[in-house]
Amino acid sequence: MISFKNQTITVLRPTFVVERGDEVPDWSNPTQHLITGCRLQPMSADEVLFSGAGGGGTARNAVVSRWKLLLPSGADITEHDRVRYADAVYEVDGFVQRWPSPTGALAHDEAVLRRVEG
C-alpha cells in the first residue's frame, strides 16, 4: 500500500539554559534529527497587524500560518521543538498528540505547527 506520508522533516531541538531561575530554550546551536514518513498539511493563514503599542515594538503586518503535521507513532518530537521543511522553519504549537490504535495499524502522532512571516 502506498502511503501519503512520504515527506521527511528535520526536527530542531534547543538546549536549555537557566536564566533568572527559569529554564529557557537556547536556539544558538540546536541539535537536529530527521523523521521520515510524515505529511505536512495547511490548516489556516491570517494576516495580522501588530500595532507596536504597549511593548514599545514596531508596527508591522505579518502572516501567521498553521499547519498540521502527521507523524509516525512514537516520533521523537516535543512541544519545545521547531521543524524545518522545504527551507521553512515552523514552531511546534502546543503538545504533540499521540493517537494510539487498538490494532496498531492506524496509530500516529500529530502536531500543529505555526509560522510567522513579517
Side-chain angles (χ1 to χ4, degrees):
M1 184 165 101
I2 297 174
S3 174
F4 67 95
K5 294 192 300 182
N6 57 4
Q7 297 169 319
T8 299
I9 63 163
T10 302
V11 174
L12 308 171
R13 182 162 295 153
T15 56
F16 286 86
V17 296
V18 176
E19 288 184 5
R20 299 182 185 134
D22 294 322
E23 279 194 349
V24 295
D26 177 5
W27 288 102
S28 62
N29 191 23
T31 62
Q32 301 181 31
H33 63 273
L34 300 177
I35 299 178
T36 59
C38 300
R39 171 57 79 195
L40 195 62
Q41 299 177 330
M43 292 175 59
S44 66
D46 296 301
E47 187 172 4
V48 179
L49 173 62
F50 293 100
S51 68
T58 303
R60 63 189 174 100
N61 283 342
V63 175
V64 179
S65 59
R66 293 196 189 294
W67 299 75
K68 180 180 286 190
L69 176 61
L70 303 171
L71 301 135
S73 183
D76 183 11
I77 188 169
T78 74
E79 66 275 10
H80 302 292
D81 295 334
R82 293 179 180 168
V83 170
R84 182 183 307 123
Y85 178 75
D87 297 325
V89 176
Y90 307 85
E91 297 176 354
V92 175
D93 189 16
F95 291 107
V96 176
Q97 303 297 309
R98 311 292 180 182
W99 291 84
S101 168
T103 65
L106 298 175
H108 69 284
D109 296 345
E110 291 184 15
V112 174
L113 304 180
R114 179 180 64 174
R115 183 169 183 207
V116 179
E117 298 178 63

